[in-house]
């Protein structure tokens, strides 16, 4: 129990390890942060930045950790990422949405809007996320039709 009380003291070291040149150090830091479940703004920002990581297994682990963050805490960060110019980050943000255990009208609306994304992979991931979240087709159809049918 004494070591649990000291956990906040190791957060700066773990954040530093997320930038380490050796991938196993970065992976271990992500894993530990996920178990500590310290979802402060500083930790979430560092984890979200790791969505740029070259190594798939680290990106996947980050997605798993982020999927356990309460939606109210994570949602503002997801919105920020979905508005970025980086399509890879937007794809990862949508994938996080598909792994979330919580649903909300705001999340559904955000994913429906993402169907319009100019990047095919982002919009494809949005379709998958909407299906994982069991969003009804009736809610998504008008937006989908606007993206595939020529506008008059």
């Amino acid at each position: 129990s004494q070591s649990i009380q000291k956990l906040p003291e190791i957060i700066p070291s773990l954040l530093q390890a997320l930038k380490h040149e050796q991938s196993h150090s970065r992976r271990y830091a992500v894993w530990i942060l996920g178990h500590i479940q310290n979802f402060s703004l500083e930790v979430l920002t560092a984890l979200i930045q790791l969505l740029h990581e070259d190594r798939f297994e680290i990106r996947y682990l980050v997605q798993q950790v982020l999927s356990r963050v309460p939606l109210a805490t994570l949602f503002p960060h997801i919105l920020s990422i979905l508005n970025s110019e980086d399509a890879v980050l937007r794809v990862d943000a949508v994938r996080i949405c598909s792994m979330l255990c919580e649903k909300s009208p705001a999340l559904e609306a955000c994913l429906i809007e993402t169907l319009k994304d100019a990047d095919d992979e982002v919009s494809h991931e949005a379709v998958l996320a909407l299906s994982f979240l069991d969003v009804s087709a009736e809610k998504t159809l008008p937006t989908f039709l606007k993206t595939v049918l020529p506008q008059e």
Side-chain angles (χ1 to χ4, degrees):
S1 82
Q2 187 177 15
S3 63
I4 291 174
Q5 293 172 345
K6 293 184 178 185
L7 287 178
E9 295 173 13
I10 67 166
I11 298 296
S13 297
L14 291 170
L15 291 171
Q16 192 64 30
L18 292 176
K19 299 173 186 173
H20 198 277
E21 65 183 36
Q22 295 181 356
S23 64
H24 69 275
S25 296
R26 295 190 305 276
R27 186 172 52 241
Y28 185 72
V30 171
W31 182 73
I32 292 296
L33 285 168
H35 282 280
I36 293 173
Q37 294 190 356
N38 175 322
F39 299 128
S40 67
L41 181 59
E42 185 178 23
V43 169
L44 285 175
T45 301
L47 289 172
I48 289 169
Q49 288 173 346
L50 268 182
L51 293 173
H52 273 299
E53 169 68 40
D54 290 334
R55 303 206 42 128
F56 170 77
E57 65 274 8
I58 294 175
R59 286 194 321 268
Y60 180 77
L61 186 57
V62 168
Q63 290 171 353
Q64 292 297 311
V65 169
L66 291 175
S67 73
R68 292 187 291 248
V69 177
L71 183 59
T73 304
L74 187 58
F75 191 64
H77 292 289
I78 290 173
L79 285 177
S80 173
I81 293 169
L82 289 174
N83 289 318
S84 79
E85 293 185 16
D86 187 330
V88 173
L89 265 182
R90 293 195 314 272
V91 167
D92 284 336
V94 174
R95 287 181 181 153
I96 291 167
C97 292
S98 69
M99 291 186 251
L100 294 173
C101 298
E102 298 176 62
K103 281 176 58 172
S104 78
L107 178 61
E108 289 179 13
C110 177
L111 288 170
I112 290 169
E113 192 63 26
T114 304
L115 292 171
K116 298 180 199 174
D117 197 284
D119 186 276
D120 286 343
E121 190 174 359
V122 176
S123 56
H124 173 75
E125 288 297 328
V127 170
L128 292 176
L130 288 163
S131 68
F132 288 139
L133 293 172
D134 201 26
V135 176
S136 74
E138 288 128 7
K139 288 183 180 179
T140 63
L141 190 58
T143 303
F144 176 73
L145 290 176
K146 285 178 189 174
T147 62
V148 295
L149 296 178
Q151 300 296 315
E152 296 179 11

